[in-house]
Amino acid sequence: MKAMISRCMMGDSCRYDGKSKPLSKEILDKLKEKYTLIPFCPEAEYLPTPRPAARFVGDKLIDINGVDKTEEFEKGASKALKICKKENIKFISGKNI
C-alpha cells in the first residue's frame, strides 16, 4: 500500500521557513514497514523555499505580507490529488482519504 507523506517529514528542507520537521527514524521505519512512502510537498511545488508564512483568512490563504497565495496552494493540492489518484494512494501523512 502507498502513502503520501510530506517531504519535510522525510527530512527535506521545504517548509515555509526553509527547514524540515522530520519524523524520528523509528517512526519512519514503522511507516516504511507498512507503506511505500511517496514524498510530496504541495506548497513547495508552486512557492519558493523559504517563503512567507501563510494562513487562512476566510476562504483565502494570505501570507504575512498580505499577499493572496490561494491559487498556489490550490495548484499544489490539485497536483497532490492527481498523484494520489494515479498511484492509488489512500493514506496521506496520517489522514485517510
Side-chain angles (χ1 to χ4, degrees):
M1 186 181 317
K2 296 178 184 177
M4 183 175 279
I5 186 167
S6 177
R7 286 180 29 215
C8 71
M9 294 172 77
M10 298 286 294
D12 290 348
S13 299
C14 60
R15 282 172 35 106
Y16 75 94
D17 58 5
K19 298 178 182 178
S20 66
K21 194 158 186 144
L23 296 173
S24 70
K25 182 180 178 338
E26 179 182 289
I27 291 172
L28 279 174
D29 286 346
K30 285 182 181 180
L31 287 170
K32 288 176 183 178
E33 286 175 14
K34 189 172 180 179
Y35 302 103
T36 299
L37 299 178
I38 310 296
F40 185 74
C41 178
E43 293 176 40
E45 288 295 304
Y46 298 97
L47 294 165
T49 301
R51 57 193 164 271
R55 65 176 142 185
F56 278 102
V57 176
D59 63 348
K60 301 287 183 187
L61 279 156
I62 308 297
D63 74 17
I64 59 172
N65 298 317
V67 179
D68 185 350
K69 297 295 182 178
T70 305
E71 182 178 349
E72 291 87 345
F73 278 87
E74 287 177 345
K75 284 181 182 178
S78 178
K79 187 167 183 178
L81 183 58
K82 284 179 187 176
I83 292 169
C84 287
K85 287 179 177 180
K86 179 181 177 194
E87 297 292 331
N88 196 30
I89 295 169
K90 301 292 184 192
F91 191 80
I92 300 178
S93 296
K95 303 284 184 184
N96 286 316
I97 61 169

